[in-house]
């Protein structure tokens, strides 16, 4: 079995504003006598640390996705504890990168038949959807600009990954 994990920068002003608005509750300085504004930054950070699991139109992507290849037949289990993916993108248009979008394809390579499952936003919907990770501070980019970054996925005890994203 093989897989490809796709990563692409995206722009979605509406989604970004929705996440920002979730923190508005914490701007209250007199909520039944309690000043909530002192935890506003922490609450906003928590909002932006949560992945958005849903579907999206591929046209929000601002560059060709980077494909990270995995061959489950040859990789050792320990190699999945920390997955470090350096990424480079050539941006198609001037705009704002609000985060990175993720999806995957899996190939079940049998001796008589190969079957592929795709969670791409261009393919029929599955129950896995796609994932978007928002930046708390969007990045403005110019058309044809080269954007570099890194996605580090660390396995956790919830049978999932904690994701750290850097962009330069």
């Amino acid at each position: 079995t093989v897989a490809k994990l796709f990563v692409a920068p995206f722009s979605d002003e509406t989604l970004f504003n929705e996440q920002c608005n979730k923190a508005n509750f914490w701007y209250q300085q007199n909520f039944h006598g309690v000043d909530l504004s002192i935890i506003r930054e922490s609450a906003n950070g928590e909002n932006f640390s949560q992945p958005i699991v849903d579907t999206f139109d591929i046209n929000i992507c601002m560059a060709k996705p980077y494909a990270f290849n995995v061959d489950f037949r040859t990789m050792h289990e320990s190699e999945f504890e920390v997955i470090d993916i350096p990424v480079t993108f050539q941006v198609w248009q001037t705009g704002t990168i609000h985060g990175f979008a993720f999806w995957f394809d899996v190939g079940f390579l049998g001796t008589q038949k190969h079957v592929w499952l795709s969670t791409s936003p261009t393919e029929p919907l599955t129950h896995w959807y796609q994932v978007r990770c928002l930046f708390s501070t969007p990045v403005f980019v110019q058309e044809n600009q080269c954007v570099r970054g890194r996605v580090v996925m660390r396995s956790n005890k919830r049978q999932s990954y904690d994701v750290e994203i850097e962009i330069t």
Side-chain angles (χ1 to χ4, degrees):
T1 299
V2 295
K4 290 181 184 219
L5 174 64
F6 294 92
V7 182
F10 74 90
S11 182
D12 189 336
E13 192 76 35
T14 301
L15 179 65
F16 180 79
N17 288 334
E18 285 174 6
Q19 286 301 103
C20 287
N21 288 336
K22 288 180 181 180
N24 284 344
F25 175 79
W26 303 103
Y27 278 80
Q28 299 179 73
Q29 294 180 328
N30 188 6
F31 181 74
H32 299 284
V34 177
D35 182 359
L36 299 178
S37 66
I38 59 174
I39 59 174
R40 174 180 54 226
E41 256 184 68
S42 177
N44 201 41
E46 181 66 23
N47 282 340
F48 279 93
S49 72
Q50 301 299 314
I52 311 298
V53 180
D54 65 359
T55 61
F56 58 84
D57 185 318
I58 192 69
N59 293 317
I60 69 169
C61 292
M62 298 186 68
K64 179 181 176 184
Y66 175 83
F68 179 75
N69 295 303
V70 176
D71 189 335
F72 294 103
R73 300 166 298 184
T74 60
M75 290 181 72
H76 188 270
E77 184 180 346
S78 64
E79 294 178 79
F80 293 101
E81 291 174 11
V82 176
I83 300 171
D84 190 343
I85 308 170
V87 294
T88 302
F89 304 103
Q90 186 81 30
V91 177
W92 291 329
Q93 61 191 12
T94 297
T96 304
I97 297 176
H98 291 103
F100 283 171
F102 299 84
W103 64 91
F104 64 88
D105 291 351
V106 177
F108 301 96
L109 309 181
T111 55
Q112 297 187 18
K113 187 176 182 181
H114 296 344
V115 177
W116 283 89
L117 166 71
S118 178
T119 65
S120 169
T122 62
E123 296 297 323
L125 189 61
T126 71
H127 75 275
W128 281 286
Y129 298 97
Q130 295 94 40
V131 173
R132 287 181 283 172
C133 294
L134 283 165
F135 302 152
S136 58
T137 304
V139 178
F140 182 77
V141 292
Q142 298 285 338
E143 181 179 358
N144 295 321
Q145 181 177 338
C146 182
V147 175
R148 298 182 198 292
R150 168 171 252 98
V151 176
V152 179
M153 300 168 53
R154 297 182 197 286
S155 63
N156 59 40
K157 294 182 191 239
R158 298 179 309 273
Q159 296 182 341
S160 186
Y161 284 90
D162 295 321
V163 179
E164 299 171 25
I165 297 174
E166 299 174 10
I167 187 169
T168 56

